Amino acid sequence: QVQLVESGGGLVQAGGSLRLSCALSGGTFGTLSTGWFRQAPGKEREFVAVISWSSGGTRYADSVKGRFTISREKDKNMVYLEMKSLKTEDTAVYYCAASRRYYLSYAETDFDSWGQGTQVTISS
């Protein structure tokens, strides 16, 4: 099973930018897609973005379209989430995940491996 480790979280003022990184290890064989989810205090974890590992095709949650960009570097086993025009409602713990079953999955149950999460806090 692939392991994932997120980094790049921090505190940013509203309107600012951050780039999150996710390092995959333990082998990427069988990985079809990698995605980002987030969980705000007192709320359920929600889908943010997903990218097909092979083709680079993407899908985004409506709440982040036009502001967030997911990308990957296959040769480095890295996944990124570029976040711009950040809002206070973006405050959450962000998790990266990998799916062995779907290319552009969005449901939590479709992902097999999860990182530990990285905190993103947006101040007003």
Side-chain angles (χ1 to χ4, degrees), residues 2-87:
V2 65
Q3 290 82 49
L4 307 98
V5 179
E6 305 94 335
S7 62
L11 191 153
V12 180
Q13 287 188 332
S17 302
L18 271 180
R19 188 179 80 158
L20 306 182
S21 300
C22 178
L24 281 66
S25 63
T28 58
F29 177 79
T31 297
L32 300 183
S33 63
T34 53
W36 290 92
F37 294 76
R38 67 186 183 185
Q39 186 169 24
K43 298 183 178 180
E44 296 184 357
R45 187 156 56 188
E46 64 178 355
F47 167 77
V48 175
V50 64
I51 186 168
S52 170
W53 189 250
S54 59
S55 72
T58 60
R59 179 179 177 180
Y60 297 91
D62 289 341
S63 60
V64 305
K65 285 182 179 178
R67 300 189 298 120
F68 291 11
T69 302
I70 187 171
S71 61
R72 87 275 189 266
E73 294 182 287
K74 293 171 62 178
D75 58 340
K76 297 182 179 180
N77 292 326
M78 294 292 294
V79 182
Y80 306 101
L81 184 68
E82 293 88 7
M83 305 184 293
K84 300 179 180 179
S85 301
L86 285 162
K87 307 173 181 179

Side-chain angles (χ1 to χ4, degrees), residues 95-107:
Y95 300 87
C96 64
S99 174
R100 297 178 64 251
R101 296 188 292 274
Y102 300 97
Y103 289 96
L104 290 173
S105 55
Y106 63 90

